[in-house]
Amino acid sequence: MLLLAIETSCDETSVALLRGGCVLANAVSSQVKLHEEYGGVVPELASREHLCNLMPVAREALGQAGVATGDLDAVAATRGPGLPGALLVGLRAAQGLAFALAKPFVGVHHHEAHLYSPWIGGEPLSLALDDFQPNVSLIVSGGHTMLVHVAAPLEHRVLGGTVDDAAGECFDKAAKLIGLPYPGGPELDRLAAEGDGTAHHFPRPMMRDDSHDFSFSGLKTSVRYFIRDNPGVLEDGRRLRDLCAGVQAAIVEVLVSKTVRAAKKLGAKCITASGGVTCNSGLRTALGAACERDGFTLRLANPTLCTDNAAMVGMAAHMQLAEGCNTSSFDAEIAPGWKLEKQN
Ligand code: KG4
Ligand code: ZN
């Protein structure tokens, strides 16, 4: 089964090829530079850029995999959630290709795709199912922060999510207050690595709360007040690095403690994490230490697959086809506000 998958839900244009659930190619063109001067993704610019980039990225992926469109057995694309104009570009291209080839089209939920990204690159998913079920999955990006209980492939239930800002948004907003360029998460991570995370204690919102929800907007406000009340902190290299480390420590501790608590409560064997913030070195280290201490298997998405990519969309489509799910219609609409729910 040779599958071509497309992802265009936000600011990454990506095309992947998979054979039997193994990734042959995963080409990604990021628009981060385009949106940098606006401090966030501009939807209209994003969709136009997807239009320009999709065909070159598709050619690159087909070339890397050494296959032609005529060899395809199925085509998949993200249907939602995401930016409407951006989703339309990838979805309509995939449906057109599937229709022209008279092959099945599979519409994929973007968050469901994230659930599969930690399983790409290891042994085939069918061999890893002992680890897989049940798992608790943290999806943590610039747009989303959620905990999902995955009982088995395609059987998942959202446990909780952020009630305000996403964790990546908190990283980016704190980084902006500190004067770092957009998106500030990676730069804050780099500076935090040389700082002392205990020098300033920032609040850990909802950490002891019994729910599986998160809140990050108060943390951003406390960073604003801290900078206001500590003149010169941004001009002093050591104090600036301590500030970054303190912010990172607060976000990471909330994410890790709530994820581990959910896994214990639900009797999960495995914890997984994906989404752009899963690139964060502090989060990767702290999740590793917590899983080691509490006896969970940990599957972190490879840093190259944490951010949006078509390989994970292809993996979710592969699972749907393997489990015999109905394929989508050639004229299925985009689903910008699609909520992740139990699929079977
Ligand atoms: O998954 P993603 O590419 O896009 C969506 O938001 O859907 O995630 C991007 C987010 C940004 O907020 C970015 O600052 C954050 O992931 N991020 C990081 C790191 N790398 C990316 N945050 C903290 N530390 C990092 N190393
Ligand atoms: Zn995403």
Side-chain angles (χ1 to χ4, degrees), residues 147 206 209 211 213-214 254-262:
L147 277 172
M206 293 179 86
D209 185 304
S211 79
D213 289 330
F214 301 87
V254 173
L255 292 174
V256 173
S257 75
K258 297 210 78 155
T259 305
V260 170
R261 181 156 5 120

Side-chain angles (χ1 to χ4, degrees), residues 12 141-143 168-169 171-172 183-186 189 275-277 279-280 306-308:
E12 261 95 27
S141 71
E169 202 177 345
F171 266 112
D172 294 342
D189 182 4
V277 177
C279 291
N280 184 266
C306 285
T307 50
D308 292 344

Side-chain angles (χ1 to χ4, degrees), residues 35 38 44 48 90 113 120 141 165 168 199 202 215 217 220 247 266 278 282 284 290 294 306 328 340:
H35 301 286
Y38 305 99
E44 174 67 20
R48 287 195 219 173
I120 298 173
S141 71
D165 292 351
F202 287 102
S215 164
S217 66
K220 172 196 66 195
V247 172
L266 290 154
T278 309
R284 295 180 86 85
D294 292 325
C306 285
S328 312
L340 183 64

Side-chain angles (χ1 to χ4, degrees), residues 19-86:
R19 196 188 293 279
C22 290
V23 178
L24 305 178
N26 181 44
V28 184
S29 168
S30 173
Q31 303 179 5
V32 166
K33 285 269 162 260
L34 174 74
H35 301 286
E36 194 172 0
E37 67 174 292
Y38 305 99
V41 178
V42 183
E44 174 67 20
L45 292 183
S47 39
R48 287 195 219 173
E49 193 70 3
H50 285 309
L51 269 176
C52 296
N53 291 342
L54 186 55
M55 286 310 142
V57 171
R59 265 185 231 109
E60 185 188 335
L62 287 161
Q64 269 175 27
V67 298
T69 49
D71 304 329
L72 297 175
D73 298 303
V75 185
T78 306
R79 272 188 69 205
L83 301 171

Side-chain angles (χ1 to χ4, degrees), residues 233-273:
V233 66
L234 303 184
E235 284 75 49
D236 177 327
R238 188 186 54 77
R239 290 170 72 206
L240 180 108
R241 289 191 291 275
D242 289 349
L243 169 59
C244 291
V247 172
Q248 180 165 300
I251 299 174
V252 166
E253 194 182 343
V254 173
L255 292 174
V256 173
S257 75
K258 297 210 78 155
T259 305
V260 170
R261 181 156 5 120
K264 284 183 181 165
K265 202 163 158 184
L266 290 154
K269 289 197 269 179
C270 173
I271 286 176
T272 75

Side-chain angles (χ1 to χ4, degrees), residues 1-341:
M1 161 70 70
L2 181 67
L3 179 86
L4 182 143
I6 300 179
E7 156 64 34
T8 61
S9 67
C10 189
D11 60 345
E12 261 95 27
T13 315
S14 180
V15 176
L17 285 135
L18 291 86
R19 196 188 293 279
C22 290
V23 178
L24 305 178
N26 181 44
V28 184
S29 168
S30 173
Q31 303 179 5
V32 166
K33 285 269 162 260
L34 174 74
H35 301 286
E36 194 172 0
E37 67 174 292
Y38 305 99
V41 178
V42 183
E44 174 67 20
L45 292 183
S47 39
R48 287 195 219 173
E49 193 70 3
H50 285 309
L51 269 176
C52 296
N53 291 342
L54 186 55
M55 286 310 142
V57 171
R59 265 185 231 109
E60 185 188 335
L62 287 161
Q64 269 175 27
V67 298
T69 49
D71 304 329
L72 297 175
D73 298 303
V75 185
T78 306
R79 272 188 69 205
L83 301 171
L87 288 166
L88 260 180
V89 176
L91 185 86
R92 291 296 186 231
Q95 288 169 325
L97 180 60
F99 181 76
L101 297 170
K103 298 292 178 189
F105 164 72
V106 185
V108 171
H109 192 292
H110 181 79
H111 296 152
E112 190 174 347
H114 271 300
L115 293 178
Y116 289 100
S117 59
W119 303 90
I120 298 173
E123 68 257 64
L125 192 49
S126 51
L127 299 178
L129 279 181
D130 269 357
D131 281 351
F132 188 88
Q133 46 194 332
N135 73 63
V136 162
S137 191
L138 174 69
I139 302 176
V140 68
S141 71
H144 306 281
T145 302
M146 57 169 74
L147 277 172
V148 184
H149 181 237
V150 186
L154 307 182
E155 262 192 59
H156 33 67
R157 183 165 61 90
V158 177
L159 300 169
T162 181
V163 296
D164 41 53
D165 292 351
E169 202 177 345
C170 184
F171 266 112
D172 294 342
K173 286 179 175 169
K176 192 172 177 195
L177 291 169
I178 295 170
L180 307 177
Y182 168 86
E187 182 64 5
L188 193 146
D189 182 4
R190 199 184 62 72
L191 292 166
E194 297 160 7
D196 174 5
T198 62
H200 320 294
H201 183 88
F202 287 102
R204 271 76 168 148
M206 293 179 86
M207 192 165 79
R208 312 222 172 275
D209 185 304
D210 244 359
S211 79
H212 299 300
D213 289 330
F214 301 87
S215 164
F216 290 107
S217 66
L219 177 53
K220 172 196 66 195
T221 310
S222 69
V223 173
R224 183 190 302 280
Y225 290 149
F226 181 84
I227 293 170
R228 182 197 64 189
D229 298 339
N230 289 272
V233 66
L234 303 184
E235 284 75 49
D236 177 327
R238 188 186 54 77
R239 290 170 72 206
L240 180 108
R241 289 191 291 275
D242 289 349
L243 169 59
C244 291
V247 172
Q248 180 165 300
I251 299 174
V252 166
E253 194 182 343
V254 173
L255 292 174
V256 173
S257 75
K258 297 210 78 155
T259 305
V260 170
R261 181 156 5 120
K264 284 183 181 165
K265 202 163 158 184
L266 290 154
K269 289 197 269 179
C270 173
I271 286 176
T272 75
S274 64
V277 177
T278 309
C279 291
N280 184 266
S281 56
L283 179 61
R284 295 180 86 85
T285 306
L287 272 175
C291 287
E292 172 102 42
R293 183 193 63 214
D294 292 325
F296 294 109
T297 310
L298 177 64
R299 295 283 294 231
L300 296 172
N302 184 295
T304 57
L305 297 169
C306 285
T307 50
D308 292 344
N309 64 85
M312 66 184 193
V313 176
M315 190 58 98
H318 166 77
M319 291 310 294
Q320 287 189 37
L321 291 168
E323 299 281 316
C325 299
N326 289 336
T327 52
S328 312
S329 145
F330 290 134
D331 54 7
E333 293 296 336
I334 54 164
W338 197 1
K339 294 249 183 294
L340 183 64
E341 253 135 12

